[in-house]
Amino acid sequence: MTFTARWLHAAFKTVNNEDMGIEHVIGVVGGGSWGTALAHLIRNNGHNTLMWLRDKKVAKAIATRHENPRYFPGISLSAGIETTLALEEVADRCEVILLVVPVKAMRDTLKQLGEFIRPDHILLSCSKGLEPATGKTMTQVIQEETCCLQYGALSGPNLAAEILQNHPCATVVASRFDSVVTRSTQALMGKTFRVYGNNDVLGVEIAGALKNIMAIGAGVVAGLGFGDNTLSLLLTRGLAEMRRLGVKLGAESATFAGLAGVGDLMVTCTSPLSRNHQVGKRLAEGQTLEDIRQEMNQVAEGVNTAGVVLELSQKLDVFMPISTGIHQLLFDNRPIRDVVADLMANAAVYEIDRPILLPTD
């Protein structure tokens, strides 16, 4: 079925759910650590929750034992989370659907889900990254693969393990549609989890994607045994790169000073719970990227994003030395000490990106 045919088919399916007696259920598409944490959070807030997974055994464990044995063995999840292996069931029963699959799988998942999506669904991307083949954001992929008219993105300093421990934290829901922010807030906001709205969808998505690259750099800093001065340098100049590319693409500068920018950057770059941080640390300790990927059972989105960002920065002529250096470490096997030396040897500039004219001999 073509996209146009799917759109027309879905348009005729659009109905008033209350008239049909359909229950209000929040859908979570994805059974990884973040999807599990969000499903737990939503159910803990008292909402009916339906979670889609690919793995039948994990789905059964969540529904019956209230545990995700793959990502959180021994940790109790909120009771009452329903699970399904059918995307059609999620679309039929849920008005609000959170998309929490890896970035590389997002388009294929949306193609399948798009067969059942109606224009009045609310789709919220919760995956941080840019599509490797196209450089597009996840909300752009949503628009291309579904007929959904109300969509947005969730991003912020949210470590899944800490959410399951009920540590106070917050996130950002970005959308051009107030209904998306309102409905997402109703589903997610509780005693230990705050939600802030933002209309700068592009800025929130770019910030969430690029901070993963910087987190790899922070892991390198830790692995090399450098101190807080070095980490502070990486954080501030990394944030400058994130903002520089985001503004060039059309995002708002202020977004990078908020939870989706500096907030997420801080937690991802300083916490050993961060997957991207672990990649950088292991690289600095001598492991190869291939070995690291084989040992990790979760996706470190910064690895794929590094390639996309390098292409974007070159295409748009945006100066991003840290991102370039991380790409060299990951894919060019460049010695870490050489990359650090090059970064420290860059020409002196003002913080507002104009050169300092030093006297010459």
Side-chain angles (χ1 to χ4, degrees):
M1 187 183 294
T2 66
F3 176 82
T4 302
R6 292 205 314 267
W7 199 99
L8 291 171
H9 174 71
F12 283 113
K13 286 177 63 179
T14 301
V15 292
N16 186 315
N17 284 346
E18 292 184 359
D19 291 343
M20 291 187 65
I22 295 177
E23 58 190 322
H24 292 284
V25 183
I26 309 298
V28 176
V29 173
S33 59
W34 188 213
T36 299
L38 287 170
H40 166 82
L41 182 66
I42 293 166
R43 181 58 189 156
N44 215 34
N45 287 341
H47 304 291
N48 295 324
T49 309
L50 178 63
M51 190 177 181
W52 174 84
L53 304 94
R54 296 182 186 276
D55 192 312
K56 185 176 182 179
K57 291 182 178 179
V58 175
K60 183 178 180 180
I62 291 173
T64 59
R65 304 203 315 266
H66 318 306
E67 175 192 10
N68 186 326
R70 181 174 182 184
Y71 294 103
F72 298 112
I75 296 178
S76 296
L77 303 177
S78 183
I81 298 174
E82 295 183 76
T83 60
T84 182
L85 304 178
L87 286 170
E88 182 175 6
E89 182 180 358
V90 177
D92 284 347
R93 295 181 57 194
C94 305
E95 298 176 61
V96 178
I97 301 174
L98 280 62
L99 304 167
V100 208
V101 297
V103 166
K104 66 179 181 180
M106 184 66 80
R107 188 176 291 275
D108 285 343
T109 302
L110 282 169
K111 282 181 179 179
Q112 299 174 52
L113 183 63
E115 298 286 345
F116 316 111
I117 288 296
R118 304 182 305 271
D120 62 337
H121 270 113
I122 289 177
L123 296 182
L124 188 68
S125 168
C126 305
S127 301
K128 301 173 183 177
L130 302 173
E131 188 175 41
T134 66
K136 293 182 177 179
T137 66
M138 296 302 96
T139 58
Q140 290 171 335
V141 178
I142 288 173
Q143 294 173 71
E144 291 180 354
E145 297 297 341
T146 77
C147 65
C148 178
L149 299 178
Q150 302 176 90
Y151 51 85
L154 180 149
S155 192
N158 308 137
L159 296 171
E162 292 188 0
I163 289 175
L164 291 179
Q165 295 172 42
N166 296 318
H167 293 188
C169 63
T171 199
V172 173
V173 171
S175 180
R176 295 187 294 112
F177 310 95
D178 289 341
S179 58
V180 175
V181 176
T182 299
R183 294 296 300 278
S184 300
T185 300
Q186 290 173 337
L188 294 166
M189 192 155 168
K191 293 180 180 179
T192 61
F193 196 82
R194 287 191 59 79
V195 179
Y196 291 85
N198 193 316
N199 295 130
D200 181 20
V201 184
L202 179 62
V204 166
E205 290 191 278
I206 293 296
L210 268 62
K211 61 89 189 180
N212 285 328
I213 301 175
M214 303 308 161
I216 294 174
V220 171
V221 168
L224 292 175
F226 292 151
D228 293 336
N229 284 345
T230 311
L231 180 60
S232 178
L233 170 62
L234 176 79
L235 284 167
T236 51
R237 297 316 300 168
L239 182 62
E241 288 191 18
M242 292 163 54
R243 182 199 60 80
R244 196 181 297 140
L245 181 62
V247 170
K248 185 75 171 184
L249 289 168
E252 298 175 14
S253 179
T255 299
F256 295 86
L259 284 167
V262 66
D264 203 0
L265 181 69
M266 288 175 63
V267 73
T268 314
C269 287
T270 59
S271 175
L273 294 175
S274 162
R275 287 164 277 179
N276 294 284
H277 184 282
Q278 283 297 319
V279 169
K281 187 173 185 293
R282 294 183 185 186
L283 282 172
E285 291 171 346
Q287 286 188 259
T288 66
L289 179 59
E290 182 180 355
D291 288 342
I292 295 168
R293 280 175 153 170
Q294 288 180 352
E295 291 176 10
M296 295 181 73
N297 69 338
Q298 302 182 63
V299 177
E301 293 287 6
V303 175
N304 293 324
T305 304
V308 179
V309 168
L310 180 66
E311 292 182 12
L312 277 175
S313 66
Q314 293 173 343
K315 178 181 178 181
L316 299 173
D317 193 25
V318 177
F319 184 54
M320 303 187 71
I322 298 175
S323 300
T324 301
I326 298 303
H327 185 275
Q328 292 172 343
L329 295 181
L330 292 170
F331 302 109
D332 298 337
N333 295 318
R334 187 126 190 267
I336 292 178
R337 298 283 178 176
D338 290 353
V339 172
V340 173
D342 280 357
L343 288 172
M344 295 304 294
N346 278 321
V349 297
Y350 285 86
E351 283 197 300
I352 56 173
D353 297 332
R354 62 187 178 95
I356 297 175
L357 301 178
L358 300 174
T360 58
D361 295 333

